């Protein structure tokens, strides 16, 4: 059974940091592109960052470049999103996404940036 379980969300003040984790099981994690998406209140789900299976290639949404870092540990079947210098507009539900021949979504973790 495929599972993607996000964790690490919470409430943080502007300028603060959070590290999200996504633990995967039930598929060959090391073969999959892994991404983070978010859905802000009243908005469509949007792409945040992606990392290739071999960790050498990453992509980011322009608004998070220089603030967010995606990484993965294939030995632990886990992908991370380090989020620094958080802004109120980063508030939303963050989802883990796996993509190869099949695609899988996690259930999401809430991130709230507020003073």
């Amino acid at each position: 059974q495929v599972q993607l379980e996000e964790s690490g969300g919470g409430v943080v003040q502007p300028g603060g940091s959070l590290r999200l984790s996504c633990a995967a099981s039930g598929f060959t994690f090391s073969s999959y592109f892994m991404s983070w998406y978010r859905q802000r209140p009243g908005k469509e789900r949007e792409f945040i960052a992606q990392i290739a299976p071999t960790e050498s290639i990453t992509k980011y949404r322009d608004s998070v470049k220089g603030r967010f870092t995606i990484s993965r540990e294939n030995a632990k079947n886990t992908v991370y999103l380090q989020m620094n210098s958080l802004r109120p507009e980063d508030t939303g539900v963050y989802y883990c996404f796996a993509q190869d021949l099949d695609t899988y979504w996690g259930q999401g973790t809430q991130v709230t940036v507020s003073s």
Side-chain angles (χ1 to χ4, degrees):
Q1 181 180 358
V2 171
Q3 282 192 312
L4 291 174
E5 186 170 355
E6 301 97 335
S7 61
V11 180
V12 63
Q13 291 188 339
S17 298
L18 284 174
R19 188 194 196 204
L20 305 183
S21 299
C22 173
S25 60
F27 63 97
T28 308
F29 178 82
S30 59
S31 298
Y32 278 64
F33 284 81
M34 297 300 298
S35 302
W36 288 95
Y37 283 72
R38 74 182 173 201
Q39 188 161 16
R40 296 185 288 171
K43 303 287 187 181
E44 298 280 324
R45 194 173 296 189
E46 60 190 12
F47 168 81
I48 298 301
Q50 182 187 67
I51 187 165
T54 57
E55 309 174 43
S56 58
I57 299 173
T58 56
K59 297 180 184 178
Y60 294 94
R61 183 179 193 81
D62 284 349
S63 62
V64 307
K65 285 180 182 176
R67 300 189 298 123
F68 291 10
T69 303
I70 189 170
S71 61
R72 66 191 294 164
E73 287 190 76
N74 287 341
K76 294 185 177 181
N77 287 357
T78 302
V79 62
Y80 306 97
L81 186 68
Q82 177 67 43
M83 305 187 295
N84 299 327
S85 302
L86 283 161
R87 305 168 180 169
E89 55 265 37
D90 294 318
T91 293
V93 180
Y94 284 69
Y95 296 91
C96 182
F97 177 66
Q99 181 178 19
D100 189 19
L101 295 179
D102 298 309
T103 60
Y104 308 111
W105 286 97
Q107 294 299 304
T109 185
Q110 176 71 44
V111 171
T112 302
V113 185
S114 174
S115 55

